[in-house]
């Protein structure tokens, strides 16, 4: 612990904003991971319930689940069912579901982009801290005894590098976390689109059967 404190103190004033970036970044990573994990679980549970109802042609029950659930997939399918009550055209129903996907995506991607920005800022602050430390080191060595200059310069450079090291220590995990969270977000978005297509096919098939039955009934008369 003493080594860590010494490392932090020797890095200069720029260690503090880098440390703040690390704390904020970790908080965003934890919040996004929990949110996306809950969203994935909610989507899976809601989709299983709605799919079972659609297969039984219980459209009102599926609509009620969509209205009462906070899962994005439930909202998307609910939007399609509401549009189906107004128009039986597949294009209109697909458009309503696509609008639901577009509404869900910003919530899934919220704050994820900040991680890449924070990582870049941490790296730049580390470099700035090193440059500042080196400037102070060369200024102090300029007036020192010639026999001590080499030792003083080596020690000063080592201390100045602490800022860059801490900046990279902060940036690398944040960039990896950004890629991981982004991939999980894209996975959820793809699952939403897949769920919409699957439900759309079920609804279209049911409509085709109803139309066929009406046609057969009309021809029998």
């Amino acid at each position: 612990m003493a080594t860590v404190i010494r490392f932090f103190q020797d890095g200069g004033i720029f260690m503090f904003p880098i440390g703040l970036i690390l704390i904020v970044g970790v908080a965003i990573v934890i919040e996004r991971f929990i949110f996306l994990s809950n969203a994935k679980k909610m989507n899976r549970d809601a989709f299983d319930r709605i799919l079972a109802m659609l297969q039984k042609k219980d459209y009102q029950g599926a609509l009620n689940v969509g209205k009462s659930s906070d899962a994005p997939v439930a909202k998307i399918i609910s939007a399609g069912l509401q549009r189906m009550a107004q128009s039986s055209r597949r294009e209109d129903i697909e458009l309503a579901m696509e609008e639901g996907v577009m509404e869900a995506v910003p919530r899934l991607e919220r704050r994820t982009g900040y991680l890449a920005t924070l990582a870049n800022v941490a790296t730049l602050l580390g470099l700035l801290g090193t440059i500042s430390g080196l400037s102070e080191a060369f200024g102090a060595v300029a007036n020192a005894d010639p026999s001590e200059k080499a030792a003083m310069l080596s020690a000063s450079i080592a201390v100045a590098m602490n800022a860059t090291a801490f900046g990279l220590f902060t940036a690398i995990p944040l960039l990896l976390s950004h890629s991981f969270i982004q991939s999980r977000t894209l996975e959820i978005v793809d699952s939403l689109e897949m769920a919409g297509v699957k439900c759309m096919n079920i609804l279209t098939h049911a409509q085709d059967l109803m139309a066929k039955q009406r046609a057969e009934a009309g021809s029998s008369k």
Side-chain angles (χ1 to χ4, degrees):
M1 181 62 69
T3 303
V4 174
I5 295 176
R6 179 66 181 276
F7 174 84
F8 195 85
Q9 291 175 341
D10 290 343
I13 192 172
F14 289 96
M15 300 289 275
F16 293 99
I18 297 175
L20 179 61
I21 288 175
L22 178 60
I23 294 173
V24 173
V26 169
I28 292 176
V29 170
I30 294 174
E31 186 272 336
R32 286 288 88 192
F33 180 80
I34 294 174
F35 178 85
L36 293 176
S37 298
N38 290 336
K40 185 176 182 179
K41 183 178 183 302
M42 290 170 57
N43 284 336
R44 183 170 58 249
D45 294 342
F47 179 69
D48 291 341
R49 293 176 59 193
I50 293 176
L51 184 62
M53 292 179 179
L54 291 179
Q55 291 173 341
K56 296 177 182 178
K57 298 182 181 180
D58 183 9
Y59 300 138
Q60 186 59 46
L63 184 60
N64 293 335
V65 172
K67 290 181 178 180
S68 61
S69 176
D70 292 330
V73 70
K75 302 297 183 184
I76 293 169
I77 298 174
S78 176
L81 290 172
Q82 289 177 339
R83 184 62 60 86
M84 187 179 71
Q86 302 171 357
S87 173
S88 60
R89 294 180 57 199
R90 181 184 177 94
E91 293 78 8
D92 294 337
I93 301 174
E94 286 180 343
L95 182 59
M97 288 186 173
E98 289 176 2
E99 290 175 355
V101 173
M102 293 177 64
E103 291 178 359
V105 168
R107 291 186 59 197
L108 296 172
E109 295 180 342
R110 187 178 301 166
R111 287 185 289 275
T112 301
Y114 293 159
L115 293 175
T117 302
L118 291 174
N120 290 330
V121 172
T123 303
L124 294 176
L125 286 175
L127 293 173
L128 186 59
T130 295
I131 292 173
S132 176
L134 289 175
S135 298
E136 294 178 2
F138 281 115
V141 170
N143 299 322
D145 186 86
S147 61
E148 300 177 354
K149 283 187 177 182
M152 290 182 61
L153 186 59
S154 298
S156 299
I157 290 176
V159 170
M161 289 298 178
N162 288 359
T164 296
F166 190 44
L168 294 175
F169 174 80
T170 299
I172 292 173
L174 291 182
L175 285 176
L176 292 175
S177 299
H178 174 263
S179 298
F180 174 74
I181 291 175
Q182 199 170 45
S183 66
R184 286 184 67 92
T185 302
L186 291 176
E187 179 184 346
I188 294 176
V189 173
D190 290 341
S191 69
L192 293 178
E193 295 176 349
M194 180 275 296
V197 171
K198 192 167 186 176
C199 291
M200 187 69 251
N201 291 336
I202 293 175
L203 294 175
T204 303
H205 180 66
Q207 288 180 331
D208 292 341
L209 287 178
M210 292 174 62
K212 184 178 180 180
Q213 291 173 355
R214 285 196 297 265
E216 291 176 353
S219 62
S220 62
K221 293 179 181 180

